[in-house]
Amino acid sequence: MIKPNFAKGDGLVPVIVQDIETKEVLMLAYMNQQAWEETLRTGKATYWSRSRNSLWLKGETSGHVQIVKDIFIDCDDDTILLSVQQLGEAACHTGYKSCFYRKVKDGKCVVVGQKIFDPKEVYK
Amino acid sequence: MIKPNFAKGDGLVPVIVQDIETKEVLMLAYMNQQAWEETLRTGKATYWSRSRNSLWLKGETSGHVQIVKDIFIDCDDDTILLSVQQLGEAACHTGYKSCFYRKVKDGKCVVVGQKIFDPKEVYK
């Protein structure tokens, strides 16, 4: 059974999340072994929240669950790439489709992403 | 001047690298502030090698330099997304186009990526 190298990153591996249809990179999160096993078992992206220090079923509050379509692992076994179907269209808690909604241009940030929802309406 | 939050990750931020044409995720690497500034200055992706503990101009040995086309920063300022033109077609030191050349299927790894070069010929 393949398993990412969790020991290398102090129990966590970074997980890149990509939209299976548009190929847009939606976010980066982290998994520990428990999150990895839960993701494999349920088919729904489950991460380890470093800020809350707890297992995090993505979309638990917002309903914006990520259905895992494909899982890739990198050459060093220390990074995961998930190809997902993003329910509710948006991955970012700010309401944008992707967490990478800002482009760096001439040393400044310019918003280029697509806003899908109002966080105040979703996280009540 | 926008700057990623390097303090959060002990001086390093993860950097997702995506091919600007195919949208394929090529690799994940890390930058410290020096690597970030060098990347902005030169327009060539420069990382911090955690294994060598030194600045790493990607493609220095192989010639497979990454020309930075766009830089995005995430909602928490702690992850970078680079959109690049990958010279030599391949990003991975194993010769594959992407470091994520293996898919996890039924608990096993299946090679699905495209091999571009023979590492023995490139790293002599």
Side-chain angles (χ1 to χ4, degrees):
Chain A
M1 178 64 101
I2 175 78
K3 203 179 82 171
N5 185 344
F6 293 107
K8 207 167 166 184
D10 249 356
L12 296 178
V13 297
V15 182
I16 302 166
V17 188
Q18 186 175 31
D19 188 298
I20 191 165
E21 283 168 30
T22 64
K23 307 286 179 206
E24 193 169 355
V25 174
L26 298 174
M27 56 185 276
L28 184 107
Y30 293 84
M31 283 186 190
N32 62 2
Q33 190 168 335
Q34 194 188 356
W36 166 254
E37 287 170 0
E38 199 63 8
T39 299
L40 290 182
R41 194 180 65 78
T42 63
K44 293 173 184 169
T46 306
Y47 307 109
W48 182 257
S49 166
R50 297 182 302 167
S51 54
R52 293 196 299 267
N53 224 27
S54 64
L55 211 62
W56 164 34
L57 168 64
K58 167 73 185 162
E60 200 167 19
T61 310
S62 64
H64 299 166
V65 169
Q66 293 171 337
I67 309 296
V68 176
K69 296 295 186 177
D70 282 313
I71 303 176
F72 301 88
I73 192 157
D74 82 334
C75 51
D76 294 326
D77 293 335
D78 63 2
T79 307
I80 295 165
L81 170 63
L82 293 186
S83 185
V84 306
Q85 179 193 355
Q86 175 66 64
L87 301 191
E89 276 191 70
C92 188
H93 72 287
T94 59
Y96 285 91
K97 183 165 169 53
S98 161
C99 291
F100 299 94
Y101 61 90
R102 296 174 301 162
K103 190 186 270 196
V104 179
K105 210 174 148 77
D106 303 327
K108 285 179 194 159
C109 269
V110 184
V111 171
V112 294
Q114 189 188 356
K115 192 141 189 174
I116 305 289
F117 68 82
D118 179 355
K120 282 186 212 136
E121 295 297 316
V122 170
Y123 304 100
K124 283 175 183 167
Chain B
M1 178 64 102
I2 174 77
K3 203 179 83 171
N5 185 344
F6 293 107
K8 207 167 165 185
D10 248 357
L12 296 178
V13 296
V15 182
I16 302 166
V17 188
Q18 186 175 32
D19 188 298
I20 191 165
E21 282 169 30
T22 64
K23 307 287 178 206
E24 192 168 356
V25 174
L26 298 175
M27 57 185 274
L28 183 108
Y30 293 85
M31 282 185 191
N32 63 2
Q33 189 168 336
Q34 194 188 355
W36 166 253
E37 287 170 1
E38 198 63 9
T39 299
L40 290 182
R41 195 181 65 78
T42 63
K44 292 173 185 170
T46 306
Y47 306 109
W48 182 257
S49 166
R50 296 182 303 168
S51 55
R52 294 196 299 266
N53 223 28
S54 64
L55 211 63
W56 165 34
L57 168 62
K58 167 72 186 164
E60 200 167 20
T61 310
S62 64
H64 299 167
V65 169
Q66 293 171 336
I67 308 297
V68 177
K69 296 295 186 177
D70 282 314
I71 303 176
F72 301 88
I73 192 157
D74 82 335
C75 50
D76 294 325
D77 293 336
D78 63 3
T79 307
I80 295 164
L81 170 63
L82 293 186
S83 185
V84 306
Q85 179 193 356
Q86 175 65 64
L87 301 191
E89 276 190 70
C92 188
H93 72 287
T94 59
Y96 285 91
K97 183 165 170 50
S98 161
C99 291
F100 299 94
Y101 62 90
R102 294 174 303 161
K103 189 186 270 196
V104 179
K105 210 175 148 77
D106 303 327
K108 286 179 194 160
C109 268
V110 184
V111 171
V112 294
Q114 189 188 356
K115 193 141 189 172
I116 305 289
F117 68 82
D118 178 355
K120 282 186 211 137
E121 296 297 316
V122 170
Y123 303 101
K124 285 175 184 170

